[in-house]
């Protein structure tokens, strides 16, 4: 481990998301989100699973906080279920006090244990009624107004106690997986064998645009109505993987790497930090990429108090010599696990898209920092699944050396970015506090530092990695 170089108040802990852990979908007045309805469509989720019980955190939040305490966590990032708080979702719909109370209780329990809450307003679980009422994320005017209202309700109820706010988790996933590939709710895609509705060539770009405007609108509400009194910070969380050229000798592959980062990350960060979409996207997508209205971009530009960064892995990038397909969303290139020499970017995990490469984390931190004028960065997710974990014996599962190794090397890479590359990183949330509902992969894929026994009352048992993360941070944070 490197020396003690991270600031004393470095905020580290663990992350989760509402639909992945809470369960209790019909309790105390909650209504469906698009994930509840998506899970009911046959074939969408591995094992036909859903979040009906998940980790049962709606009833076991005190156990979750005890677990955080046991892991020595300083912070906990969790998300709110909008349809628990405003079941029908809209600005003229009733507020569900019982749903709100759950989050007040959770925050109080965290504060009682000296754990800093970091709250995500939206981690993909849109109230289903808004999708049915007006097309959900596709409808800019209605969605932005309803999200703004929802955010105000939340700031008002929790803002005295919560100082870190994240407007949206991974808008890339909502846009691309929700409206291009259709792998995530609401499952829109041009592929008519998968969905009756959708236009993969246009909808994702409109949805991404609408999410950015909604983010900007909520930030304005926070800064004008709450921040002066409450003094917290607000930002958006963007996902993104690192890229290496398939053939480092080929300038076209090197260029394609930059384009991949622009299509997946700068799509959202450029409007926020620079006031427009990347030129490479405009060039390929033409009028399918929305133009910025002056009043919308005024909301979006400069709207981050901090940059929330989710990061998992890296890929090799190979350019293509053909014209881009209309449905292409990565910049007309191939994203591969092996380079020209046949070397793998990293070891396999349970997730087909995830192969660890810790140096890529350091490089991406620097890329984000350099491109955006050295923003304050909070790493809001980082973690790994483990190949075949679900089929291992209990003893093997609890000895998750691979996950512990992942965290150690990734934390070291972050420390290097901070101490050697002048990156301003102030926090790190490991994904995830516990095994949970891994979206389309159901419960087969585990990301937790804590084992959850789904057949035994959702019993939680910390794995080796849960204990070791605290040691890694103790070694690198100044006394
Ligand atoms: C993140 N991909 O999602 C989410 O924020 C978490 O809710 C999720 O559990 C975690 O990563 C692990 O998957 C992603 O296909 C899901 O590239 C899929 C991808 C990226 C991020």
């Amino acid at each position: 481990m490197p020396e003690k170089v991270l600031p004393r108040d470095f905020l580290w802990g663990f992350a989760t998301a509402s639909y992945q852990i809470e369960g209790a979908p019909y309790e105390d007045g909650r209504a469906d989100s698009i994930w509840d309805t998506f899970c009911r469509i046959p074939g969408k989720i591995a094992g036909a699973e859903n979040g009906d019980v998940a980790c049962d955190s709606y009833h076991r939040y005190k156990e979750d906080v005890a677990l955080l305490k046991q892991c020595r966590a300083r912070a906990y990032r969790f998300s709110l279920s909008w349809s628990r708080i405003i079941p029908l979702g809209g600005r003229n719909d009733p507020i569900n006090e019982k749903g709100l109370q759950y989050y007040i209780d959770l925050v109080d329990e965290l504060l009682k244990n000296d754990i800093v809450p970091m709250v995500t307003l939206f981690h993909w679980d849109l109230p289903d009624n808004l999708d049915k009422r007006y097309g959900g994320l596709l409808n800019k005017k209605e969605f932005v107004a309803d999200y703004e209202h929802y955010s105000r309700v939340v700031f008002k109820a929790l803002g005295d106690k919560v100082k870190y706010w994240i407007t949206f988790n991974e808008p890339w996933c909502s846009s691309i997986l929700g409206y291009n590939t259709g792998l995530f709710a609401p499952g829109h895609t041009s592929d008519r064998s998968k969905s009756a509705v959708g236009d993969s060539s246009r909808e994702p770009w409109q949805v991404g645009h609408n999410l950015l405007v909604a983010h900007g609108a909520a930030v304005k509400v926070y800064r004008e109505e709450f921040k002066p009194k409450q003094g917290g910070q607000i930002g958006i969380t963007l996902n993104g993987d690192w890229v290496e050229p398939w053939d480092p000798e080929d300038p076209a592959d090197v260029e394609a790497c930059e384009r991949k980062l622009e299509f997946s990350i700068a799509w959202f960060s450029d409007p926020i930090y620079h006031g427009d979409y990347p030129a490479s996207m405009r060039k390929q997508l033409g009028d399918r990429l929305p133009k910025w209205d002056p009043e919308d971009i005024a909301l979006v530009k400069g709207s981050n108090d901090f940059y929330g960064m989710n990061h998992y892995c890296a890929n090799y990038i190979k350019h293509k010599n053909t014209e881009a397909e209309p449905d292409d969303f990565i910049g007309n290139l191939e994203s591969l696990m092996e380079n020209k020499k046949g070397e793998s970017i990293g070891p396999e995990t349970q997730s087909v898209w995830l192969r660890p490469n810790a140096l890529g984390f350091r490089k991406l931190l620097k890329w984000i920092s350099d491109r955006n004028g050295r923003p304050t960065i909070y790493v809001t997710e980082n973690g790994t699944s483990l190949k075949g974990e679900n089929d291992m014996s209990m003893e093997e599962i609890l000895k998750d050396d691979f996950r512990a190794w992942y965290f150690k090397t990734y934390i070291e890479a972050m420390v290097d970015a901070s101490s050697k590359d002048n990156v301003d990183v102030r926090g790190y949330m490991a994904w995830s506090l516990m095994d949970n509902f891994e979206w389309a992969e159901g419960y087969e894929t585990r990301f937790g530092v804590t084992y959850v026994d789904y057949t035994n009352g959702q019993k939680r048992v910390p794995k080796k990695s849960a204990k070791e993360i605290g040691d890694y941070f103790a070694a690198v944070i100044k006394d």
Side-chain angles (χ1 to χ4, degrees), residues 89-351:
R91 54 201 181 279
N92 298 310
D93 296 320
I95 294 168
N96 180 28
E97 295 299 335
K98 281 187 179 167
L100 208 40
Q101 192 59 44
Y102 168 67
Y103 296 110
I104 295 171
D105 292 344
L106 170 58
V107 166
D108 285 343
E109 185 73 10
L110 288 165
L111 295 178
K112 211 168 84 189
N113 285 279
D114 294 317
I115 298 166
V116 175
M118 181 179 269
V119 175
T120 310
L121 292 169
F122 183 96
H123 198 121
W124 308 346
D125 44 356
L126 180 79
D128 188 59
N129 180 60
L130 300 185
D131 198 44
K132 299 223 159 66
R133 192 184 280 173
Y134 56 68
L137 305 182
L138 283 167
N139 187 327
K140 186 179 91 174
K141 192 165 161 285
E142 294 296 324
F143 175 69
V144 171
D146 284 345
Y147 182 78
E148 186 183 318
H149 167 77
Y150 160 63
S151 73
R152 186 180 282 111
V153 168
V154 167
F155 297 143
K156 197 167 165 216
L158 297 171
D160 285 335
K161 299 164 181 170
V162 174
K163 302 300 159 198
Y164 295 91
W165 295 104
I166 293 160
T167 53
F168 289 97
N169 179 70
E170 304 189 346
W172 183 93
C173 288
S174 297
S175 309
I176 299 300
L177 306 181
Y179 290 86
N180 176 292
T181 66
L183 286 173
F184 280 10
H188 285 213
T189 174
S190 291
D191 181 347
R192 290 287 165 266
S193 71
K194 291 196 185 130
S195 170
V197 287
D199 178 348
S200 300
S201 74
R202 288 185 179 272
E203 287 185 357
W205 313 113
Q206 187 61 54
V207 166
H209 196 77
N210 299 349
L211 289 168
L212 276 167
V213 178
H215 156 80
V219 170
K220 184 170 192 282
V221 166
Y222 186 66
R223 286 181 178 167
E224 288 180 358
E225 300 170 31
F226 299 93
K227 190 172 166 153
K229 266 183 279 159
Q230 300 177 341
Q233 302 176 49
I234 188 163
I236 195 168
T237 278
L238 306 179
N239 59 302
D241 308 327
W242 180 244
V243 285
E244 292 288 345
W246 181 77
D247 177 2
E249 309 287 300
D250 186 341
D253 284 355
V254 176
E255 205 183 300
C257 281
E258 194 69 7
R259 202 162 60 246
K260 166 73 163 53
L261 293 173
E262 290 177 346
F263 266 75
S264 43
I265 302 174
W267 172 13
F268 298 101
S269 61
D270 272 15
I272 293 173
Y273 290 95
H274 302 291
D276 203 356
Y277 292 119
S280 60
M281 293 184 73
R282 185 70 70 200
K283 185 167 173 230
Q284 181 181 317
L285 302 171
D287 71 351
R288 289 182 285 125
L289 189 65
K291 293 250 155 47
W292 283 106
D293 293 339
E295 59 272 29
D296 286 346
I297 196 62
L299 284 175
V300 173
K301 193 178 179 192
S303 57
N304 256 1
D305 292 341
F306 62 84
Y307 182 111
M309 175 184 183
N310 284 2
H311 178 74
Y312 288 89
C313 54
N315 290 110
Y316 287 114
I317 302 300
K318 191 178 182 193
H319 76 281
K320 282 185 184 171
N321 287 318
T322 49
E323 224 15 40
E325 299 288 333
D327 291 357
D328 175 82
F329 57 84
I330 54 172
N332 196 28
L333 48 88
E334 282 180 87
S335 178
L336 303 165
M337 293 298 175
E338 290 179 0
N339 65 10
K340 193 179 178 184
K341 292 182 188 157
E343 296 160 341
S344 175
I345 193 80
E348 282 182 55
T349 67
Q350 182 64 25
S351 317

Side-chain angles (χ1 to χ4, degrees), residues 378-452:
Y378 286 90
V379 176
T380 43
E381 281 179 31
N382 177 239
T384 191
S385 58
L386 208 150
K387 201 169 173 59
E389 189 175 15
N390 199 35
D391 304 316
M392 291 177 188
S393 70
M394 187 66 182
E395 196 186 329
E396 286 172 309
I397 288 177
L398 296 183
K399 201 174 164 301
D400 61 341
D401 287 310
F402 180 81
R403 185 175 284 105
W405 163 81
Y406 177 99
F407 284 126
K408 181 168 187 289
T409 55
Y410 270 74
I411 291 166
E412 283 171 350
M414 177 181 68
V415 167
D416 284 342
S418 169
S419 61
K420 298 177 185 157
D421 302 339
N422 191 33
V423 174
D424 181 21
V425 54
R426 305 221 190 145
Y428 174 99
M429 304 298 136
W431 185 270
S432 175
L433 175 64
M434 55 196 157
D435 295 334
N436 56 47
F437 177 72
E438 179 53 16
W439 308 111
E441 292 176 41
Y443 294 96
E444 281 172 17
T445 305
R446 295 175 179 269
F447 268 88
V449 298
T450 302
Y451 173 74
V452 176

